[in-house]
Amino acid sequence: MSQPRQSRALVIVNTNFCSSNGDVVFGTRRGAKREAEKLSNVLSRLNYKVKLMHNKTAKEIEDLYQQECCCEHGEYFVSVISSHGKEGVIFGCDSEPVKLTRIFQILSSEKCLALSKIPKIFFIQACRGAEFDQGVVVECDSGEPKPDCEPDCFSDYLSLPPQTVAMFACSPGYVAFLNVFGSMFLQALLKVLEGEERHLALNRLMTRINWEVAFRCQARGTYEGCKEMPCFVTNLLQEVFPFSAQRSPSKRAEFHPVLMH
């Protein structure tokens, strides 16, 4: 009897950024690489075949997803992206933008037959704007004041391809926090995947991550008291359990070293 195909995971983490003329455009993302390595190893123990990529340009990021269309896939495809970003966009290490809709469409059923019936799950650690979330008083039932400029946050996701889920570290228009110990969002994801909550259906698992970040995470130092609120968009039509596999002994993710940009 043939063995079932192994589900695949693609983890992309950008930590160092400069433009085509060598100028440093974004700050170094200290703590992001180690966090991505931990996530990759956890996914490997959950029987995913993991590809971990570090410091990739915008074009290289698109090429990585194109390559997934030529691979054999199991029940699920998971991707973690950790980089600088803004609403609807993540940045390559060359400081060039990659539209998230472009990534989603590369893996859509029209473009990628290998993934046409397979749930595609994205966890995206990146800013979606420049606002700081000051949090709310949960006991208060009065209306929240509207910001001066509300981002058009849904237009890019109305055409989310079938069988696709995208979970974001923060709400539209806001920053996502990262320090030398990692990010609020991906640390919460790690905690859930390493615990018994990994057996939950995906929508419940993501709601649990929301709770962890909203109630147990708060910025310190310069941004003392600021909060973060993850959110997710899904068009799955059934419950899925992508992380409920029996954990295997510790394995190393496949790591592709590259020159630092």
Side-chain angles (χ1 to χ4, degrees):
M1 181 182 294
S2 60
Q3 291 291 322
R5 291 176 179 173
Q6 191 174 12
S7 292
R8 294 178 60 84
L10 174 61
V11 179
I12 300 172
V13 54
N14 285 341
T15 57
N16 298 76
F17 299 79
C18 54
S19 63
S20 56
N21 59 12
D23 293 337
V24 176
V25 180
F26 298 113
T28 300
R29 303 180 66 247
R30 294 180 177 88
K33 182 180 177 182
R34 184 172 65 172
E35 179 176 69
E37 289 170 348
K38 288 181 180 178
L39 263 172
S40 298
N41 289 327
V42 168
L43 288 168
S44 292
R45 292 199 300 272
L46 294 176
N47 296 321
Y48 279 82
K49 184 174 183 180
V50 182
K51 181 184 284 189
L52 171 59
M53 308 303 291
H54 182 219
N55 282 344
K56 290 299 179 181
T57 66
K59 183 180 184 308
E60 288 170 338
I61 289 171
E62 289 194 17
D63 289 345
L64 285 169
Y65 287 102
Q66 293 281 7
Q67 292 166 20
E68 290 297 324
C69 297
C70 303
C71 297
E72 290 189 343
H73 289 270
E75 281 189 273
Y76 305 102
F77 172 75
V78 171
S79 187
V80 179
I81 304 172
S82 179
S83 188
H84 283 299
K86 62 182 181 179
E87 180 56 32
V89 164
I90 56 101
F91 289 99
C93 65
D94 55 352
S95 302
E96 292 297 319
V98 182
K99 286 188 175 183
L100 293 173
T101 49
R102 169 62 180 157
I103 293 173
F104 300 152
Q105 288 299 326
I106 288 173
L107 302 180
S108 67
S109 55
E110 293 83 4
K111 302 286 181 63
C112 181
L113 290 177
L115 284 165
S116 59
K117 297 181 180 180
I118 295 173
K120 294 162 281 291
I121 304 159
F122 293 86
F123 296 96
I124 302 167
Q125 167 62 35
C127 291
R128 302 177 72 185
E131 295 293 323
F132 290 92
D133 190 341
Q134 302 297 331
V136 296
V137 179
V138 294
E139 292 81 9
C140 177
D141 59 3
S142 62
E144 285 297 314
K146 293 185 178 181
D148 293 335
C149 179
E150 292 187 0
D152 181 11
C153 54
F154 293 107
S155 58
D156 281 347
Y157 306 109
L158 291 176
S159 59
L160 196 71
Q163 295 290 86
T164 304
V165 180
M167 186 170 194
F168 301 90
C170 56
S171 301
Y174 288 92
V175 300
F177 288 102
L178 172 78
N179 62 26
V180 294
F181 302 107
S183 64
M184 294 181 182
F185 175 56
L186 294 184
Q187 288 299 309
L189 174 60
L190 268 169
K191 180 179 178 180
V192 169
L193 294 186
E194 290 178 323
E196 291 304 307
E197 292 156 317
R198 73 182 187 278
H199 297 297
L200 293 172
L202 181 61
N203 62 322
R204 293 186 61 197
L205 181 145
M206 292 188 295
T207 302
R208 180 63 189 183
I209 293 170
N210 282 356
W211 187 91
E212 285 284 341
V213 176
F215 288 99
R216 293 192 171 178
C217 297
Q218 184 170 291
R220 298 283 185 257
T222 304
Y223 306 109
E224 179 75 35
C226 287
K227 304 287 287 184
E228 187 173 295
M229 187 65 241
C231 55
F232 57 88
V233 184
T234 175
N235 63 7
L236 293 179
L237 300 177
Q238 71 284 337
E239 287 191 329
V240 296
F241 301 82
F243 307 114
S244 62
Q246 185 69 31
R247 279 187 291 198
S248 58
S250 181
K251 297 187 292 184
R252 285 285 181 184
E254 177 185 349
F255 179 67
H256 297 252
V258 295
L259 291 174
M260 297 292 287
H261 291 270

